[in-house]
Amino acid sequence: FERGIPLQFPGEHIQIDEGKIDLMTLATTTFIWEYLTEEQRKKIARQRRWMYLAICGTTKCILALHVCKNPSGAEAVKCLALATRDKSDIALAAGAKDTWHHHCGLSFVSTDQGSAFLSFQFAEAMAALGGDHDTASGATPWLRGFVERVFGTFNTDLFQEANGRVFSNPAERGDF
C-alpha cells in the first residue's frame, strides 16, 4: 500500500506518531513563577517535550495532540483516549474561540515501530477499543505521510515564533 490505503469514510484509518518537538519548556507550574526571584527562575530545568499526534487519514483532521515529558506506552494510550473523545471542554478551558469536537471510534490505526506502539499497554488499549493496529516497515516514513508532515509543519511554522524555540541540530540553527 505504498500509494496509500483507499479510504471511504472519516475515522476509517488513523495515523498516530510521536516526535520530539523543537520547543523548550519550563518544568514548573505557572502560578508559582510570579513569586520566584530571577535567580530562582534561572535554576528551573528547561526540557524539550515529546508530542503524540493522531490524524484521520480520510479527512486530514487532527483528532488528538498530546504533549508529554517522555514517550511511553502509557502516553501513547493517552493520545488514543483523546482521539476517541470530544475535546471541546479542553479547548474552551484553554480559551479557544471554538470547540474541538472531532473524534471517532477506532477502526484501523497505523503507527511506526516505536517502542510505545509495540508496548503491551498500547496493544491492550487497541484490543479494548476494538481497533486493528498495524505498524509500517521500518525506515519508511512516507507510509505515514500525513502525520509526519504535521510534525514538520509544527516545527518549521508553528513553533518558529515561540519563546523557547530550539532546533533539531546546530546546522539547522545557523545564525539564529
Side-chain angles (χ1 to χ4, degrees):
F1 291 109
E2 287 204 21
R3 292 196 175 129
I5 299 169
L7 303 173
Q8 298 174 353
F9 57 89
E12 180 180 9
H13 178 217
I14 298 170
Q15 294 180 10
I16 300 179
D17 202 1
E18 66 187 14
K20 196 172 230 183
I21 56 177
D22 289 345
L23 195 62
M24 190 74 67
T25 61
L26 294 171
T28 185
T29 55
T30 308
F31 72 91
I32 294 174
W33 189 253
E34 63 190 67
Y35 299 107
L36 299 177
T37 66
E38 191 62 35
E39 189 172 309
Q40 290 171 321
R41 289 178 182 179
K42 288 179 182 178
K43 292 180 182 178
I44 293 178
R46 286 147 175 85
Q47 302 171 329
R48 283 183 69 181
R49 299 291 178 185
W50 287 80
M51 179 170 56
Y52 282 89
L53 189 124
I55 188 168
C56 173
T58 308
T59 64
K60 312 307 183 272
C61 176
I62 294 177
L63 300 171
L65 189 137
H66 173 65
V67 178
C68 61
K69 186 176 178 180
N70 291 307
S72 69
E75 300 296 343
V77 170
K78 289 177 186 177
C79 184
L80 275 180
L82 284 172
T84 60
R85 82 185 249 326
D86 184 336
K87 294 158 288 296
S88 295
D89 58 330
I90 298 170
L92 296 174
K97 294 181 180 180
D98 204 353
T99 62
W100 189 8
H101 59 274
H102 309 291
H103 66 286
C104 62
L106 300 180
S107 179
F108 179 75
V109 175
S110 63
T111 65
D112 60 15
Q113 294 182 17
S115 60
F117 304 120
L118 299 177
S119 71
F120 176 75
Q121 291 167 313
F122 191 80
E124 185 177 48
M126 285 297 303
L129 293 168
D132 290 325
H133 176 223
D134 187 38
T135 57
S137 301
T140 56
W142 61 88
L143 295 180
R144 297 167 316 283
F146 305 124
V147 72
E148 295 289 345
R149 187 62 244 149
V150 172
F151 280 112
T153 300
F154 280 6
N155 284 332
T156 59
D157 295 343
L158 181 64
F159 300 144
Q160 187 172 10
E161 301 299 323
N163 289 335
R165 179 174 185 220
V166 295
F167 295 86
S168 298
N169 59 57
E172 186 181 313
R173 180 176 176 214
D175 294 333
F176 182 80

